[in-house]
Amino acid sequence: MSGIDHTGLSVSDYAAARRFYDAALKPLGISMRTEFPKAQTGDFDVALYGTAAGSIFVIGGGGKATPHIHVAFKADTHAEVDAFYAAAMAAGGRDNGPPGIRAHYNPNYYAAFVFDPDGNNIEAVCRKA
């Protein structure tokens, strides 16, 4: 089966991004799995986030991405979406849409949106009723 193996983005402040993503992704069962320091990559610090099954999201300290991007993470429950939003906001995220049904996408599309420290639109979505 073909599909996306992982995706990533460049960040302007690697330490701030690490704090934000460490906190925001934890309620979704996603954690930092591997880190490669600048001394190893030769360019900038890199962190790979994922589950025991493998990496799914990467941040690298190469500078702010322009234009801003959108990344949506799958949540298994509405409670996970709520916890993502709370954790992301507590970690310095800015509101871009609190948890709730987005019926214009789908009657079961329950999501929350936050801006990360660089202004990227980060979402958690549960498509279950």
Side-chain angles (χ1 to χ4, degrees):
M1 178 169 124
S2 295
I4 295 172
D5 182 73
H6 63 276
T7 190
L9 60 98
S10 186
V11 299
S12 62
D13 183 334
Y14 180 79
R18 271 289 317 271
R19 287 189 299 275
F20 174 82
Y21 285 105
D22 286 357
L25 298 180
K26 185 176 181 179
L28 304 176
I30 300 169
S31 62
M32 199 278 297
R33 308 294 293 177
T34 306
E35 187 170 38
F36 300 103
K38 180 179 180 175
Q40 188 173 357
T41 69
D43 293 320
F44 43 78
D45 297 319
V46 174
L48 285 67
Y49 288 83
T51 64
S55 298
I56 60 168
F57 183 67
V58 179
I59 62 169
K64 188 174 183 177
T66 303
H68 298 299
I69 65 167
H70 171 73
V71 178
F73 291 93
K74 187 185 300 185
D76 289 327
T77 66
H78 292 198
E80 284 185 0
V81 172
D82 296 344
F84 156 83
Y85 181 80
M89 294 299 289
R94 291 179 293 118
D95 174 61
N96 192 28
I101 292 289
R102 303 311 198 270
H104 54 285
Y105 295 139
N106 177 294
N108 294 329
Y109 198 103
Y110 188 86
F113 302 84
V114 297
F115 291 119
D116 76 359
D118 281 316
N120 295 299
N121 184 23
I122 310 301
E123 173 186 1
V125 59
C126 177
R127 296 174 184 260
K128 300 174 185 174

